[in-house]
Amino acid sequence: VTVRTFKRKKKMMNEQINLLTMIENVDPEDTAVLDEIDARFWCWIEGHSYAGTVNGKHLYEHEDGSAYVNSWQGDDNPCAPKYTSSWDASEAVRPKGWVFDLLETFSGKFACMMEHENGDCVRCISLAKTAALTKLHAIVQAIAKEREKNAVAA
């Protein structure tokens, strides 16, 4: 493992923690933060580093350090994945073999448990204020488990 690979893996782990924290704390009415979560999640699943915004457009960074505008992000593209609010968008990235059970709690928040057909389990209890955000929180953890499992196997 090279130093560059190690730094990249550490950066991806930090981004996973950032995503989970942002999802847990976001106000569902704060569209700017929801858009940032969407952009950060897209970068994370694509293996890019989130690099911030310029003129309202989200940037991502390639391995070589060059930054690019995230071409799907913005009002000019109605097909932009809205993982934070679209059931279909989050469903499209849910890892294969994982099923979820979602319920609304008495406090008005949501609980979600994702389980893999092999018995692995991810629990997200009362972490987010909407069903879509709770599901996305569980998906982030399921993807992380899959990546961890694949890294050990390699």
Side-chain angles (χ1 to χ4, degrees):
V1 175
T2 66
V3 171
R4 185 179 195 159
T5 303
F6 176 76
K7 285 182 180 179
R8 185 151 184 82
K9 284 182 180 180
K10 185 175 180 183
K11 198 172 195 179
M12 294 301 281
M13 176 61 92
N14 288 341
E15 188 59 24
Q16 172 193 333
I17 293 166
N18 289 342
L19 276 168
L20 293 172
T21 302
M22 289 178 78
I23 292 167
E24 291 168 18
N25 296 314
V26 68
D27 176 348
E29 303 299 317
D30 190 341
T31 57
V33 176
L34 292 173
D35 286 346
E36 182 179 341
I37 293 169
D38 290 331
R40 283 179 175 274
F41 180 72
W42 180 87
C43 288
W44 184 70
I45 61 174
E46 293 296 322
H48 301 302
S49 296
Y50 181 76
T53 60
V54 172
N55 297 326
K57 298 287 185 183
H58 294 277
L59 303 177
Y60 65 92
E61 185 179 309
H62 279 273
E63 269 189 60
D64 64 6
S66 55
Y68 292 90
V69 173
N70 196 339
S71 60
W72 56 257
Q73 184 65 31
D75 294 332
D76 55 336
N77 185 352
C79 298
K82 296 290 186 184
Y83 305 106
T84 54
S85 59
S86 168
W87 205 258
D88 292 338
S90 63
E91 191 61 26
V93 295
R94 178 175 52 90
K96 290 188 185 330
W98 288 87
V99 294
F100 67 94
D101 188 21
L102 183 75
L103 60 100
E104 189 169 3
T105 66
F106 292 112
S107 68
K109 291 187 177 184
F110 290 83
C112 182
M113 185 174 91
M114 287 189 78
E115 189 171 357
H116 193 276
E117 54 197 24
N118 70 6
D120 284 345
C121 197
V122 173
R123 289 179 184 83
C124 303
I125 307 298
S126 302
L127 292 175
K129 297 171 183 128
T130 69
L133 286 168
T134 302
K135 181 180 177 190
L136 183 61
H137 195 281
I139 287 171
V140 168
Q141 292 181 69
I143 290 171
K145 265 196 179 277
E146 289 289 317
R147 287 178 176 176
E148 190 178 293
K149 185 171 57 177
N150 292 338
V152 169

